[in-house]
Amino acid sequence: MSDTTYPIDLDSICGAFPPGIEAPRLLVDFAGWLEGRPWGSVGCFSLQGQFSDSAPIVDGSPLRDRFSLFMRLPDGSAVGGWYGAGLDRDNPPIVGLGSEGDYELLAPSLDAMLAKLTSQQFDNAWSDLKPHEEVECQTVELAQWLAGQPAGDAPDDTSSELPDFRGFVEKWSRDREDYWANHRLMAELGWRLAAHLPKGKKPWDQTRFEIAIVGAQYQACVLSQGPQPFEEAASIESLLRDLREEMRRAQPELGLWYAMNFGLHADGRIMPSFAYDLRPTIDGAPALLSEAKADLARAPRPERWVPKWLA
């Protein structure tokens, strides 16, 4: 294991920050310090940026400008800055989005987060942020390096002053589930796909669908022993395109999504998720770049939100 070094993708980290906010120098310098060191020596993670779209949070796409997620843990959890209402956009608190539903404010600032790594203060759901027992620990070296960095204006680490991150996520999840449960287009989609309602009646029983729309291209599949065509695919295309346009008008900076996944539950309820960066496969081939660029021209995004395959 000691031969494995920390995976670091500085470009993706910088791109994960909201438009108008740059990755802090301390984070960039930490990535430089960490490069080449044994994985697990100060914690079990990779330094890699991601958007809230793919983070473990319900319907995370609309929250892209609320997070700068720069760290991934082996279980799929994500760590990064949170730009909540009234918070310092230059020095946000650091939060964890746990893959098992653990949502926690981990530190009041980035330098406080790194200091906690040196003192091995993380336990329970966040124990991956502690050094691996089979790797020589380098938290002392990290503490020495951190002591030589310019002092930041870190807020006081007092619980009375820390915002309620868990409350924020729980409210967001409830609101988004209610939003989609009562969305007129989702209700009509569920009605049109009634023939595919799952046979089971448990809350987690569902029939999964995959949708791809890129310009004039369209494909819809039901996931039954692999992606399969289904009879109603053509009849729901206009409905899905209407949804795509409605979402673009509601949050134009996101642009247009290219892929949608959703589960149809036994009560007809649909909970969707959307991929804005994925280049989907349509009719066995990657979606046409010309069609994707036409979408981008019609619905432009901030430069850092344009995926590499499209830029």
Side-chain angles (χ1 to χ4, degrees):
M1 182 178 293
S2 59
D3 294 336
T4 302
T5 58
Y6 280 98
I8 299 172
D9 185 346
L10 195 55
D11 285 345
S12 71
I13 290 172
C14 293
F17 280 75
I21 299 178
E22 301 304 318
R25 173 50 54 184
L26 180 61
L27 179 58
V28 175
D29 290 347
F30 174 60
W33 179 87
L34 197 65
E35 187 173 4
R37 294 181 185 270
W39 184 87
S41 55
V42 295
C44 304
F45 55 83
S46 63
L47 281 187
Q48 187 172 5
Q50 69 182 104
F51 296 125
S52 55
D53 310 36
S54 56
I57 185 171
V58 172
D59 194 20
S61 299
L63 292 175
R64 271 197 186 193
D65 62 352
R66 304 279 191 95
F67 291 101
S68 54
L69 301 174
F70 55 78
M71 184 182 287
R72 296 186 187 183
L73 307 188
D75 65 355
S77 300
V79 173
W82 173 42
Y83 304 92
L87 297 179
D88 185 353
R89 294 184 71 80
D90 293 325
N91 195 21
I94 306 302
V95 298
L97 295 166
S99 60
E100 300 297 324
D102 299 292
Y103 303 112
E104 187 172 336
L105 198 154
L106 300 174
S109 63
L110 176 60
D111 45 356
M113 171 73 184
L114 297 182
K116 287 183 71 173
L117 285 179
T118 68
S119 55
Q120 305 179 32
Q121 293 183 32
F122 296 101
D123 290 306
N124 302 321
W126 304 101
S127 59
D128 279 332
L129 293 172
K130 298 176 70 173
H132 197 285
E133 59 185 12
E134 296 181 6
V135 180
E136 183 177 355
C137 179
Q138 295 192 15
T139 55
V140 172
E141 290 86 341
L142 176 58
Q144 292 170 344
W145 174 83
L146 191 60
Q149 302 308 301
D153 297 326
D156 294 333
D157 190 2
T158 55
S159 58
S160 61
E161 296 179 1
L162 297 179
D164 182 9
F165 179 63
R166 174 181 288 276
F168 163 77
V169 174
E170 290 177 349
K171 183 179 186 305
W172 170 264
S173 300
R174 289 193 305 269
D175 289 350
R176 295 311 288 178
E177 289 171 354
D178 289 345
Y179 174 81
W180 289 116
N182 295 290
H183 195 286
R184 60 179 184 83
L185 294 177
M186 290 296 99
E188 185 172 350
L189 184 61
W191 174 79
R192 293 193 188 188
L193 296 176
H196 300 274
L197 289 171
K199 294 181 173 60
K201 301 300 181 184
K202 295 186 173 74
W204 54 84
D205 290 327
Q206 56 183 301
T207 305
R208 299 294 306 175
F209 293 84
E210 287 184 349
I211 309 297
I213 299 179
V214 183
Q217 292 185 287
Y218 166 75
Q219 181 173 279
C221 299
V222 61
L223 300 183
S224 176
Q225 297 180 339
Q228 304 290 337
F230 59 98
E231 183 179 351
E232 300 87 352
S235 68
I236 63 173
E237 179 178 357
S238 62
L239 194 67
L240 294 167
R241 289 187 178 277
D242 286 348
L243 173 67
R244 196 170 181 246
E245 291 299 322
E246 179 183 292
M247 293 175 66
R248 178 186 65 84
R249 290 191 297 270
Q251 204 162 358
E253 67 276 11
L254 282 176
L256 291 159
W257 52 263
Y258 294 121
M260 170 188 178
N261 291 269
F262 64 89
L264 175 65
H265 295 261
D267 59 0
R269 178 173 48 91
I270 287 176
M271 188 65 211
S273 63
F274 304 94
Y276 287 80
D277 297 324
L278 174 71
R279 184 179 184 179
T281 297
I282 298 178
D283 295 329
L288 294 175
L289 196 58
S290 58
E291 295 293 331
K293 287 186 174 181
D295 276 344
L296 181 62
R298 187 165 61 86
R301 314 179 186 185
E303 183 178 354
R304 68 178 54 174
W305 286 358
V306 177
K308 289 182 178 179
W309 64 267
L310 185 53

